[in-house]
Amino acid sequence: MPAPLPCSGVPSAEPMKLIIQIPCLNEEQTLAATLNDLPRALDGFDRVEWLVIDDGSTDRTVDVAREQGVDHIVRLPNNKGLAAAFQAGIDAALKLGADVIVNTDGDNQYRGEDVAKLVAPVLAGRADMVVGDRQVAQIEHFSGAKKLLQRVGSWVVRRVSDTEVADTTSGFRAYNREAALQLLVVSNFTYTLESLIQAGRTLVAIDDVAVGTNRTERESRLATSTGAYVRRNVPEILRIYARYQPMRAFTTAAALLGVLAIAAWIPFLDDWLLNGDRSGHIQSLILGAVLFIAAVQLFALGVIGDLLAGQRVMTQKAFERVRRIELHLGVEPSHYEPGSRPAEPEGEPRVERIGA
């Protein structure tokens, strides 16, 4: 992996705030254990705060969060999905003045003691974003199919993002302020793959560290079985590949159909060139024509997708500028409620540099 770029998202001369965010959907049974395992103080930070994003829970998730002394709560009115909850948390954490944001799960999958390992490269200035590597091959309760899909998905994401992150689907991550400002997740399923691809295609320096995991007592909210996990992740991986590498994806598909079209025409060409007979193999001619037309259309889609990819980059830059303006103006987080932990006096509010 190339040496990380110089990181400018974490000021060293000012008080440092870490916010640990936890997207939750009906985590009443596991949230208390998750929070009790998280640190309330870490070397390098003047304040460590907890943020729970309630993604339309129908149980006592929010009540448990308050009972455990959570600092901040974002309550979405109904279930929007993990990606939307993650994005809402990032937006709120930035507006609450976070210098570093750690994202973890509410099912107690990740170990709180590893938060220090996760933020260490950020504090040292070696990385803007750090991913916790669960070392999936060593997790006993993961099925073989899930491990295989994890490896395939990580390989695809590494190719698209030009990174060397081993566990691309890990949700245990740390972001400095600059990296978080550039995040714009549009996926309706999960944020893990898309956010990593976005970071890899910008000036965000990425690192990963090995972390431990706890055995979870319930099935994943994203997929209730291995089959469901495969059905949801395979299309998502293909969609991401087509979204961020449209020319390569569609050109590859077009080339494949072009080869099949030529193969379909071979019987006709063989009879015509060798025997002078052009009267047979009508079905092969029709099949080859259909495949060739489809190949041309796929190539055209690749060109259009490549143009849209450029437009997406400009949209992301505009979104980042709007977010900086909101922070400069002191816009409050959406759907925000204060938690139950007593507030401590803080210094002067952060003024975001709009031209950064």
Side-chain angles (χ1 to χ4, degrees), residues 59-348:
D59 63 1
R60 295 184 64 256
T61 293
V62 173
D63 295 332
V64 172
R66 293 190 187 281
E67 291 167 3
Q68 297 298 318
V70 164
D71 302 83
H72 313 285
I73 297 173
V74 171
R75 298 188 71 172
L76 303 182
N78 49 40
N79 180 230
K80 301 295 185 182
L82 178 59
F86 169 81
Q87 188 74 63
I90 290 292
D91 181 70
L94 287 169
K95 291 175 179 177
L96 291 167
D99 296 289
V100 178
I101 303 168
V102 166
N103 184 84
T104 188
D105 288 353
D107 60 0
N108 201 30
Q109 175 185 177
Y110 304 107
R111 298 175 182 173
E113 64 188 33
D114 286 331
V115 171
K117 293 170 62 177
L118 203 64
V119 301
V122 176
L123 290 174
R126 299 195 309 270
D128 301 304
M129 172 182 174
V130 183
V131 180
D133 178 10
R134 296 168 294 176
Q135 305 168 84
V136 172
Q138 301 176 24
I139 301 179
E140 295 181 358
H141 60 275
F142 274 20
S143 67
K146 188 170 184 178
K147 290 180 180 179
L148 176 61
L149 189 61
Q150 293 271 9
R151 289 197 296 269
V152 172
S154 294
W155 177 81
V156 172
V157 173
R158 284 194 294 270
R159 282 182 59 85
V160 177
S161 64
D162 194 25
T163 64
E164 297 297 330
V165 174
D167 186 6
T168 62
T169 59
S170 170
F172 195 34
R173 302 180 175 198
Y175 301 87
N176 68 14
R177 193 169 180 84
E178 284 301 312
L181 277 166
Q182 298 178 51
L183 274 178
L184 175 58
V185 178
V186 298
S187 171
N188 294 323
F189 179 44
T190 179
Y191 62 89
T192 55
L193 306 181
E194 185 173 12
S195 60
L196 185 57
I197 291 171
Q198 284 186 8
R201 297 168 72 86
T202 61
L203 295 179
V204 173
I206 305 171
D207 198 0
D208 60 355
V209 296
V211 297
T213 59
N214 301 314
R215 185 181 182 90
T216 55
E217 299 300 325
R218 63 156 177 80
E219 293 289 344
S220 169
R221 302 291 187 199
L222 294 179
T224 56
S225 66
T226 300
Y229 184 85
V230 172
R231 288 193 299 272
R232 295 199 68 172
N233 272 272
V234 169
E236 184 68 15
I237 291 171
L238 294 176
R239 188 180 299 115
I240 288 174
Y241 193 74
R243 182 182 298 152
Y244 287 93
Q245 294 282 3
M247 183 61 79
R248 180 184 297 176
F250 286 101
T251 300
T252 301
L256 178 61
L257 289 184
V259 170
L260 293 176
I262 294 173
W265 284 332
I266 285 178
F268 172 81
L269 294 173
D270 183 60
D271 263 5
W272 180 25
L273 296 176
L274 298 180
N275 304 321
D277 183 7
R278 293 183 293 175
S279 61
H281 305 290
I282 302 300
Q283 297 89 341
S284 296
L285 281 174
I286 295 173
L287 176 60
V290 171
L291 291 172
F292 182 77
I293 292 171
V296 172
Q297 290 176 332
L298 284 174
F299 178 75
L301 287 175
V303 174
I304 295 172
D306 195 55
L307 296 175
L308 291 176
Q311 183 66 39
R312 183 181 300 110
V313 172
M314 290 187 285
T315 300
Q316 186 174 350
K317 290 184 179 298
F319 175 81
E320 178 190 342
R321 184 59 59 89
V322 169
R323 180 177 266 171
R324 290 184 186 277
I325 292 173
E326 287 185 346
L327 295 174
H328 181 76
L329 296 176
V331 176
E332 294 294 321
S334 299
H335 306 100
Y336 174 76
E337 299 177 8
S340 58
R341 185 187 184 191
E344 296 182 7
E346 301 199 22
E348 294 296 320

